[in-house]
């Protein structure tokens, strides 16, 4: 991976270079920008304002609200000329949905959609010569399932999904919400689907699948956690499941009415019950992140001194 | 998770209901659609055409190329009325960048950006009453590092990044490309950064971090793999690294000049060298995916019968 991407730290460090009021010199009036060729010839050309990041990219977030596609294409042409002369390597346009027409104008200059969410789309252009080093957007959705193990009777909580063509036993689970920890997703999904309250114990298994159905052309990471039950009376969601049961682990490990991943995790859990869960667990440790001030979660086999 | 999301299988199953040529009844001419109020009053209102999926959503991919924002807002209004009467639960608009102006028109009816890539943005609207069950787009970028262990001398390959403020030893790595397997990323990144050829052995550790710098507001999964060297002569990328060395594992486990995750993985690797790597590894198994005909990769502790 090239430096720009490798650093994994794309952040703005410089202050705003200039604002529209000062940028649209001569031809700007409140709320709109007019492009008279005579005006432009007499005065310096108007330019978009942006912030420069430590990688040499420039980000534009402010646009004249009434500008047409054609006017914006012209404004962008001049700005790109300027940024290239300043050796900016990339240009990012954060376009509000109300000005979505500007994306078409930007496409004429080689911009494409980098990502979009809610009411903003972000377009990018690699402005330097050589290899395009634009860092990519998120590529994976994350799904989490919870294997709730009742150690007192060697049973585990399983469901049969309503929407699946073959009704196979599997662990309850679903997609992580943005910002949700793996263990939180498992506990939430188990409660929503089965009515069982539980707590996170460990991570057991990870599946990576590309071109996953339902992932909008992206990839999928599916993680299975080990959970301990805090309640035992099933009250399952009939919208999502046709069946929900506490099933004997040995039965689940042997049955053909399940998925390959569920079967393998059942065998792991059997082994964990017999020899100790430290043989199968990835334990979680929470550590402070250097940059954000938030915490991250680290999963791996228990460290040797604690085994 | 609600059913619609839980199923993890959002795909189109019905054929195209109707095409523009038949949809824009009366008022359509080749390549453009005109909206004369008299014309619309005399004839049935034009509607957008779309495909219906098995979850009750409708997806529109074809738009009149010359339609204005105002005309599209009106066309969408009538179409939404029709779809709601048909109890469609969600509407998806796949808008080409050349028609990006339509996004602004759609926003007037409550649409927002779901995602965008390249030359298409996708807008969505939850059209049913009750909770918004629109499945989310990818939430995580995936970074992979490779710990290349030379078992003959207990050394491991480490680098110091050029772009980091503190120069700490870490394992070479970077972001996965879309569609790239975890082990492939590790091997590629190690080669690009250090010049060392290697092969994938196992997965050792997973870190989840939200609001990760450089992830455009999304989350990050960072995985560390164990690799075996296939070459030994370092030829590191000076654009990315300031230093690259084979370092003694015990030294790496003890030094303060490293990251918490690298330190922990070094201790795991020490333990693996002493007691066998099966004590620390998540092994990989490749299995056929039911839906796509592709393969997925499953990682977990070695199954009991093989230990």
């Amino acid at each position: 991976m090239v430096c720009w991407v490798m650093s994994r730290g794309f952040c703005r460090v410089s202050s705003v270079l200039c604002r529209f009021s000062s940028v649209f010199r001569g031809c700007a009036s409140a709320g709109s920008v007019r492009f008279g060729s005579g005006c432009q010839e007499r005065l310096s050309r108007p330019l978009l304002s942006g912030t420069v990041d430590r990688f040499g990219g420039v980000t534009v977030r402010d646009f004249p609200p009434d500008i047409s596609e054609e006017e914006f294409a012209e404004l962008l042409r001049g700005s790109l000329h300027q940024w290239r002369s300043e050796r900016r390597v990339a240009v990012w346009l954060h376009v509000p949905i109300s000005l979505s027409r500007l994306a078409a104008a930007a496409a004429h200059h080689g911009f494409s959609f980098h990502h979009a969410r809610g009411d903003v789309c972000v377009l990018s252009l690699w402005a330097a010569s050589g290899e395009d080093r634009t860092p990519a957007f998120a590529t994976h959705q994350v799904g989490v399932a919870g294997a709730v193990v009742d150690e007192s009777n060697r049973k585990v909580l399983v469901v049969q999904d309503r929407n699946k063509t073959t009704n196979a036993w599997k662990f309850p689970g679903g997609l992580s919400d943005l910002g949700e920890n793996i263990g939180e997703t498992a506990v939430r999904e188990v409660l929503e689907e089965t009515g069982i309250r539980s707590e996170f114990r460990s991570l057991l298994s990870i599946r990576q699948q590309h071109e996953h159905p339902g992932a909008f052309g992206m990839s999928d990471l599916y993680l299975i956690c080990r959970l301990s039950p805090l309640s035992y009376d099933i009250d399952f969601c009939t919208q999502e499941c046709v069946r929900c049961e506490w099933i004997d682990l040995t039965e689940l490990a042997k049955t053909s009415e399940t998925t390959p991943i569920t079967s393998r995790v059942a065998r792991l859990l059997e082994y964990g019950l017999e020899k100790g869960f430290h043989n199968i667990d990835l334990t979680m440790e929470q550590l402070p992140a250097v940059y954000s001030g938030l915490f991250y979660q680290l999963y791996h086999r228990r460290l040797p001194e604690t085994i």
Side-chain angles (χ1 to χ4, degrees), chain A residues 53-66:
Chain A
D53 60 55
R54 66 191 178 105
F55 304 104
V58 58
T59 299
V60 180
R61 295 170 187 271
D62 293 319
F63 304 92
D66 296 330

Side-chain angles (χ1 to χ4, degrees), chain A residues 26-306:
Chain A
C27 298
S29 62
S32 69
V33 180
R34 293 186 201 92
F35 291 81
S37 60
C39 175
Q40 282 188 54
E41 283 163 13
R42 282 196 307 276
L43 296 166
S44 58
R45 294 167 68 88
L47 297 175
L48 287 163
S49 67
T51 57
V52 177
D53 60 55
R54 66 191 178 105
F55 304 104
V58 58
T59 299
V60 180
R61 295 170 187 271
D62 293 319
F63 304 92
D66 296 330
I67 195 167
S68 72
E69 281 185 41
E70 295 72 22
E71 288 167 339
F72 181 70
E74 187 57 28
L75 177 59
L76 189 55
R77 183 191 312 277
S79 303
L80 281 171
H81 181 79
Q82 176 67 24
W83 292 325
R84 285 197 166 106
S85 75
E86 294 165 357
R87 298 189 176 278
R88 303 296 173 219
V89 297
V91 181
W92 302 85
L93 307 176
H94 289 238
V95 178
I97 198 166
S98 60
L99 294 177
S100 63
R101 61 184 180 275
L102 306 188
H108 288 300
H109 292 293
F111 282 83
S112 58
F113 287 119
H114 183 269
H115 66 276
R117 278 182 71 211
D119 57 2
V120 173
C121 62
V122 177
L123 295 107
S124 64
L125 174 75
W126 185 250
S129 57
E131 183 192 1
D132 182 347
R133 297 176 180 180
T134 310
F137 190 65
T139 52
H140 286 67
Q141 64 180 24
V142 170
V144 188
V148 188
V149 181
D150 185 346
E151 295 179 50
S152 70
N153 58 11
R154 299 174 52 91
K155 290 192 173 182
V156 64
L157 186 66
V158 286
V159 296
Q160 291 190 357
D161 276 354
R162 180 170 293 282
N163 283 327
K164 297 292 178 188
T165 46
T166 55
N167 279 323
W169 290 118
K170 60 187 283 293
F171 302 118
L175 290 180
S176 277
D177 295 332
L178 181 62
E180 190 176 45
N181 293 338
I182 290 164
E184 290 171 348
T185 307
V187 167
R188 174 179 59 74
E189 288 288 347
V190 165
L191 181 63
E192 285 177 8
E193 283 190 43
T194 71
I196 297 294
R197 291 183 295 107
S198 63
E199 61 185 357
F200 175 81
R201 290 294 184 199
S202 71
L203 179 61
L204 295 174
S205 175
I206 297 143
R207 181 195 68 185
Q208 184 180 43
Q209 188 171 356
H210 304 300
E211 299 180 36
H212 184 78
F216 303 95
M218 309 305 276
S219 300
D220 176 272
L221 278 170
Y222 177 65
L223 303 104
I224 298 186
C225 299
R226 182 170 71 82
L227 308 178
S228 290
L230 296 174
S231 69
Y232 299 87
D233 294 335
I234 290 170
D235 176 19
F236 72 92
C237 171
T238 53
Q239 276 194 302
E240 296 185 61
C241 309
V242 288
R243 296 174 75 183
C244 177
E245 290 179 16
W246 290 101
I247 194 171
D248 186 82
L249 257 176
T250 305
E251 188 185 330
L252 183 63
K254 285 181 180 167
T255 184
S256 61
E257 292 182 339
T258 190
T259 64
I261 186 168
T262 308
S263 178
R264 280 160 178 78
V265 169
R267 286 151 69 193
L268 281 173
L269 288 169
E270 270 193 297
Y271 187 73
L273 274 173
E274 281 164 30
K275 305 286 185 182
F277 285 122
H278 67 270
N279 287 293
I280 63 167
D281 285 345
L282 295 193
T283 53
M284 191 272 278
E285 185 180 12
Q286 190 149 280
L287 293 164
V290 176
Y291 302 103
S292 62
L294 301 174
F295 286 83
Y296 63 80
Q297 285 75 42
L298 185 64
Y299 302 84
H300 53 69
R301 291 274 294 141
R302 206 173 293 187
L303 285 169
E305 62 268 26
T306 64

